[in-house]
Amino acid sequence: MPSDLEARFRALSHRAPADVADSGPTEDSSIVEVIERAGFYHDQIAQSIVIPARDAHFLEPDKPLSPQTRRAVLPGGGRLYSHQALVYDHVQQGTNVVLATPTASGKTLAFVLPTLERLLADPQATALFLYPTKALAYDQLERLRELDQTLGGQLRPAVYDGDTPAAERAKIRANARIIISNPHGLHLYLGWHSSWESFLGNLSVVVIDEAHHYVGSLGASFQGLLWRLERLARHYHARPVIIAASGTIANPREHLQTLTNQAFVVVDDSGASQSERTILFWDCTRDPKTPPSTQAAYLTRHLIRMRRSVVVFSNTRAQAEYVAMAGSDRSHRILPYRSGYSAEMRRRVEHELRSGSIRGVSATSALELGVDIGSLDTVVLNGYPGSISSLWQRLGRAGRTDLDALGIVMVGGDPISRSLLANATELLERTPEHAIAASDDTDILTRHLLLAAAELPLEETSIEDGPGATAALSDLVNRDLLIKDGTTYRSTKQRPHLGTPFMEREASYEIHFQGTHDHRAVERISIRQALREAHKGAVFLHFGTPFRVQRVDSERREIVCIPETEGHHTQPALFRSLSQGRILEHLEPHPTLGIERIEALVVEQVTGYKEFDQQGRQVAKRKVTSPIISSPAEAVVLTCVDPIYLGIDPEDLFAGLHALEHALAKVLPLLTNGGTSDLASLTLRNGDAPSIVIYYLTKSHPSTMITKVIHNLHEALSLAEHLIAACSCASGCPFCVLDARCDDEVIDKGAALALSRLLGKISVGTALDSSGDEEG
């Protein structure tokens, strides 16, 4: 790191309370005892749960490995874990298999081994490895190149993506037997499938890594892509077997069958050994004067001083950057890792962690996926990640060393955190969430039907019967994008792939960093991120260094930043409103409460921001003028049409509903199995009939989440009542009816409690069952 950046790290890092010098636990003290002696410790370890070590379970495949394969992948007489042997057997029998074992269980070898055996048995055979990101693709390339060297260059693996030089592409298509790519690239390349005829005609194996990643609209797009790939492989007389590797999800078989429309067997019993794991639950509320992210920074630095290798996960980019900045000092660097960085910057962080030149990384979910980051023994979660699946994806990154694995889950004062803390053992034993692809998204289906017809004429008999496909084809014909010739559909355009992205991407801003001695690559962030994180006057953190936003050019979508020298940070005040559209469902569970499911348009604007110093004290509050952005949504609207009937003073109704909205926003994620960012809410004044609006910001299949809200509304109101009543504050606090993200401070805790008690008596489920088929 350049010297000027090191100086900034020293100047801007928080001065942590005294703690122990660099040392690990002694023979007479555990790591927990060493943490408890730290100067910043205030009895925050609320629970400690030990998961015993597990011995390895080995198994020999039914069909022995060829001598060449055994020498290449198991030098020195190594043995296969049971799950690796089972995957090998299934693939040898031509069966599609999904491997759903924990992180660090040897999944890569499990799918590389049968692939290698197939390619060595057939000198013409090829394999396609699909990864969700370029980083994972290049990480895998290095491993395959090492393997190929031991085999005398028989595999010739290569990455083929947008970064591949044009001069090398034809050579890779002609010579590589393993091509590694990503869905965004393959989506485009299939438009030129005649150039891939040899590779596709000999395609023997398709590997799908991180299959749990493909959910929602991304899953629907991936489903369309795999259908097109299988269609073209069949056209060139290939029938590849599919090997999928997934994180811990509840429905691996069903998920892969949805994505591929093919049958799968599941291997989910890991035979890998596992060191003892200690999971600590850290209660941030026991040190109320220190913000949770600052506690995470202090703790991470302390663990690094104990010579442990640490990744701390945060749920936002700003938190990840802050922990890296606040936790670093002149002797211990913590580097940030998140989306938005250039590939070169991320490779640098990965290399430094693998080489041991740094021991700490502060990351977002970008590091949940299986990039090889070396031997980690400790993971810190700066907040619950929102799902059991992500919890284990993150905790599972530790445990590949001789040291016992340590996981620390830091929780705050919100109801979700309190519930998790009260039921920590149940949390660790709970079944993970289902992975669900929005397979009925007609927009995505239409897109892939158009591209498929451009790749090869589309026969009606090759498309699964269903109203979605029929309507999509009719729409494409009506728009003159397809021509129907008997039972065949043909594209009117040659290769529409160039104008049809794999996923619709939000337009972005470019952030330019000025006033630094080192060259800073331009960062791109979405319009929504720019609105919240990089408005004029905001402090924007980039690679552990704070920058002050000087200028925002909305027309050119450019943002200019200069170094921030005081170490301050900012928090935006976000105005959000909603324009109601078509009514999809109308429910009448109670004379004084109207419940409607509607289409809507959500508008957002940053109206100002608060500025805080290094100690978390507010030093300024300013107004700003920023662009308005709008997004389509589906929403549930709760309207009080007769406050007198409820016994609530009309003057108090809005303030009570607004406070109740905040409480509902805290408890609903517990009931809908959604992350805290899946649902949003606001309260509209609407004259004498104010409304609580709970909405889901997505274009793809939003009704699933909104239906969950309606079905769970009665229980949510009861939980909200308990939350408000149990809180000991006088007029509202962040633990009950205040929300730091809300700029409107008009709330009434007493009215909210009265409303929750009255409305909690409503049986919404009965009303839904009787009117769920109504059309608005």
Side-chain angles (χ1 to χ4, degrees):
M1 178 177 290
S3 58
D4 64 319
L5 292 185
E6 290 180 350
R8 287 197 189 116
F9 267 114
R10 290 196 298 271
L12 297 174
S13 296
H14 283 245
R15 186 178 301 278
D19 52 18
V20 299
D22 288 23
S23 63
T26 66
E27 292 183 359
D28 298 326
S29 64
S30 68
I31 187 171
V32 173
E33 291 171 331
V34 175
I35 292 174
E36 290 174 341
R37 292 200 295 268
F40 61 84
Y41 183 72
H42 292 83
D43 198 31
Q44 288 107 317
I45 297 177
Q47 291 199 51
S48 176
I49 298 174
V50 176
I51 301 175
R54 186 177 60 196
D55 293 332
H57 179 208
F58 300 102
L59 187 68
E60 281 297 313
D62 291 338
K63 180 181 178 181
L65 301 178
S66 66
Q68 190 176 17
T69 300
R70 183 171 288 278
R71 285 194 302 270
V73 300
L74 297 172
R79 302 166 67 189
L80 294 179
Y81 293 135
S82 56
H83 63 278
Q84 295 170 335
L86 289 172
V87 170
Y88 177 85
D89 285 337
H90 287 306
V91 175
Q92 289 299 96
Q93 296 166 10
T95 304
N96 298 326
V97 58
V98 51
L99 176 62
T101 54
T103 304
S105 59
K107 283 188 280 196
T108 298
L109 179 60
F111 61 71
V112 167
L113 179 65
T115 301
L116 174 60
E117 192 81 327
R118 281 198 158 214
L119 267 57
L120 293 179
D122 179 0
Q124 300 301 315
T126 60
L128 175 65
F129 286 23
L130 287 175
Y131 291 88
T133 66
K134 291 181 181 179
L136 286 168
Y138 282 96
D139 187 50
Q140 184 62 65
L141 177 64
E142 294 304 313
R143 304 183 193 183
L144 289 173
R145 280 177 172 169
E146 293 176 5
L147 178 61
D148 196 34
Q149 287 180 354
T150 68
L151 294 168
Q154 297 186 60
L155 304 179
R156 301 183 294 280
V159 168
Y160 196 106
D161 61 21
D163 296 334
T164 303
E168 297 180 14
R169 296 191 173 199
K171 180 180 177 181
I172 291 174
R173 292 195 302 268
N175 298 316
R177 299 187 63 202
I178 298 180
I179 287 183
I180 310 167
S181 192
N182 60 73
H184 293 271
L186 184 64
H187 168 80
L188 180 63
Y189 310 143
L190 293 184
W192 282 258
H193 60 86
S194 58
S195 301
W196 292 74
E197 180 176 354
S198 176
F199 184 86
L200 290 173
N202 292 288
L203 190 59
S204 179
V205 178
V206 174
V207 170
I208 302 171
D209 199 12
E210 308 291 349
H212 61 281
H213 179 71
Y214 300 106
V215 296
S217 56
L218 175 62
S221 292
F222 193 61
Q223 179 186 17
L225 175 67
L226 293 177
W227 169 66
R228 289 163 47 208
L229 173 65
E230 190 271 338
R231 183 169 175 261
L232 289 171
R234 194 172 356 106
H235 173 74
Y236 291 115
H237 311 294
R239 296 290 189 275
V241 65
I242 301 175
I243 311 172
S246 170
T248 306
I249 56 177
N251 59 332
R253 177 187 287 108
E254 294 79 4
H255 183 51
L256 266 296
Q257 290 179 172
T258 297
L259 292 178
T260 65
N261 197 33
Q262 297 188 41
F264 276 78
V265 297
V266 176
V267 175
D268 57 4
D269 187 8
S270 174
S273 61
Q274 182 174 289
S275 59
E276 182 178 279
R277 290 177 181 270
T278 300
I279 310 296
L280 305 180
F281 284 83
W282 182 281
D283 186 355
C284 294
T285 66
R286 296 185 180 182
D287 181 13
K289 295 182 179 180
T290 306
S293 289
T294 304
Q295 293 186 43
Y298 292 170
L299 177 60
T300 302
R301 178 163 54 191
H302 189 67
L303 291 165
I304 293 171
R305 287 174 172 171
M306 295 167 63
R307 296 196 297 270
R308 298 190 73 93
S309 295
V310 187
V311 168
V312 52
F313 283 100
S314 294
N315 296 328
T316 69
R317 293 153 44 114
Q319 287 174 342
E321 289 275 7
Y322 175 81
V323 170
M325 180 183 73
S328 296
D329 58 23
R330 67 181 66 193
S331 302
H332 306 88
R333 286 186 304 154
I334 302 172
L335 294 184
Y337 188 104
R338 61 171 173 80
S339 63
Y341 288 161
S342 66
E344 179 183 358
M345 293 176 70
R346 281 184 286 183
R347 297 300 81 73
R348 169 189 162 188
V349 176
E350 295 161 15
H351 172 74
E352 292 202 39
L353 190 57
R354 279 196 295 263
S355 67
S357 59
I358 62 168
R359 286 182 172 271
V361 169
S362 176
T364 61
S365 58
L367 207 55
E368 272 188 37
L369 300 176
V371 176
D372 182 10
I373 51 174
S375 298
L376 295 173
D377 48 61
T378 305
V379 170
V380 176
L381 271 59
N382 180 23
Y384 177 63
S387 71
I388 302 297
S389 179
S390 288
L391 176 78
W392 285 114
Q393 280 290 110
R394 296 181 180 189
L395 290 176
R397 300 296 273 170
R400 307 188 190 193
T401 69
D402 293 334
L403 290 175
D404 290 340
L406 175 66
I408 303 177
V409 183
M410 306 184 71
V411 296
D414 61 280
I416 293 177
S417 294
R418 308 322 294 172
S419 174
L420 297 178
L421 195 59
N423 302 280
T425 302
E426 179 185 347
L427 170 68
L428 299 181
E429 296 175 349
R430 186 173 176 179
T431 302
E433 297 77 13
H434 285 69
I436 301 173
S439 54
D440 55 354
D441 188 307
T442 54
D443 289 341
I444 294 174
L445 175 61
T446 301
R447 187 185 314 159
H448 285 282
L449 287 172
L450 171 64
L451 298 180
E455 290 157 4
L456 292 173
L458 192 59
E459 297 287 341
E460 280 186 334
T461 55
S462 68
I463 305 170
E464 284 195 25
D465 188 29
T470 302
L473 288 169
S474 297
D475 177 54
L476 290 168
V477 171
N478 292 336
R479 289 192 284 152
D480 295 324
L481 295 173
L482 293 184
I483 295 175
K484 186 175 183 182
D485 181 9
T487 60
T488 302
Y489 293 88
R490 301 177 186 274
S491 174
T492 60
K493 294 185 177 181
Q494 186 178 20
R495 297 191 180 102
H497 303 65
L498 289 173
T500 310
F502 177 65
M503 287 288 293
E504 296 291 343
R505 295 185 176 181
E506 186 179 355
S508 61
Y509 275 76
E510 286 188 350
I511 301 184
H512 299 264
F513 303 97
Q514 298 180 353
T516 63
H517 297 294
D518 63 317
H519 173 71
R520 293 263 171 169
V522 172
E523 181 172 345
R524 292 182 179 274
I525 62 174
S526 70
I527 290 178
R528 192 175 303 279
Q529 289 171 327
L531 173 74
R532 298 178 181 180
E533 301 176 24
H535 54 81
K536 187 174 180 180
V539 174
F540 184 84
L541 291 167
H542 176 82
F543 210 59
T545 304
F547 289 84
R548 179 79 65 170
V549 176
Q550 289 290 101
R551 180 169 57 85
V552 178
D553 188 330
S554 299
E555 291 186 2
R556 300 177 63 183
R557 290 182 180 156
E558 287 184 353
I559 296 170
V560 176
C561 300
I562 62 172
E564 156 63 30
T565 58
E566 296 181 349
H568 289 187
H569 60 279
T570 55
Q571 177 181 307
L574 186 67
F575 167 79
R576 183 184 295 125
S577 189
L578 180 139
S579 175
Q580 300 186 31
R582 184 167 64 99
I583 297 176
L584 303 175
E585 267 184 312
H586 182 71
L587 308 169
E588 295 182 352
H590 191 277
T592 190
L593 183 71
I595 301 180
E596 295 172 335
R597 185 168 65 90
I598 66 168
E599 290 180 341
L601 192 68
V602 176
V603 295
E604 296 181 2
Q605 184 182 29
V606 170
T607 58
Y609 64 91
K610 297 176 182 178
E611 186 167 333
F612 302 87
D613 64 15
Q614 293 188 33
Q615 285 71 44
R617 296 172 300 199
Q618 182 175 325
V619 295
K621 183 176 181 180
R622 299 182 176 91
K623 294 183 178 181
V624 295
T625 301
S626 62
I628 297 174
I629 61 171
S630 59
S631 306
E634 189 165 318
V636 174
V637 182
L638 287 72
T639 304
C640 283
V641 295
D642 188 357
I644 302 300
Y645 183 94
L646 288 173
I648 300 291
D649 189 324
E651 296 295 324
D652 299 331
L653 184 58
F654 172 80
L657 278 176
H658 190 204
L660 179 58
E661 173 227 321
H662 291 168
L664 286 172
K666 290 175 169 66
V667 301
L668 271 170
L670 289 172
L671 303 174
T672 59
N673 292 325
T676 55
S677 61
D678 288 340
L679 292 169
S681 61
L682 52 82
T683 305
L684 301 178
R685 292 183 181 274
N686 292 340
D688 295 331
S691 303
I692 292 176
V693 181
I694 302 163
Y695 61 92
Y696 185 42
L697 270 181
T698 182
K699 188 178 181 180
S700 300
H701 206 58
S703 58
T704 300
M705 185 65 69
I706 291 302
T707 300
K708 284 184 178 181
V709 171
I710 295 174
H711 276 293
N712 288 283
L713 188 56
H714 174 75
E715 188 174 357
L717 287 165
S718 297
L719 282 178
E721 176 192 347
H722 176 75
L723 170 72
I724 299 169
C727 189
S728 60
C729 69
S731 58
C733 71
F735 298 161
C736 57
V737 296
L738 285 179
D739 188 338
R741 297 167 297 179
C742 182
D743 193 37
D744 191 338
E745 298 177 353
V746 178
I747 62 166
D748 188 320
K749 179 182 177 181
L753 182 59
L755 283 167
S756 65
R757 285 172 174 165
L758 291 166
L759 299 180
K761 300 174 183 177
I762 296 168
S763 179
V764 179
T766 302
L768 177 66
D769 292 340
S770 63
S771 60
D773 295 329
E774 291 184 9
E775 290 290 332

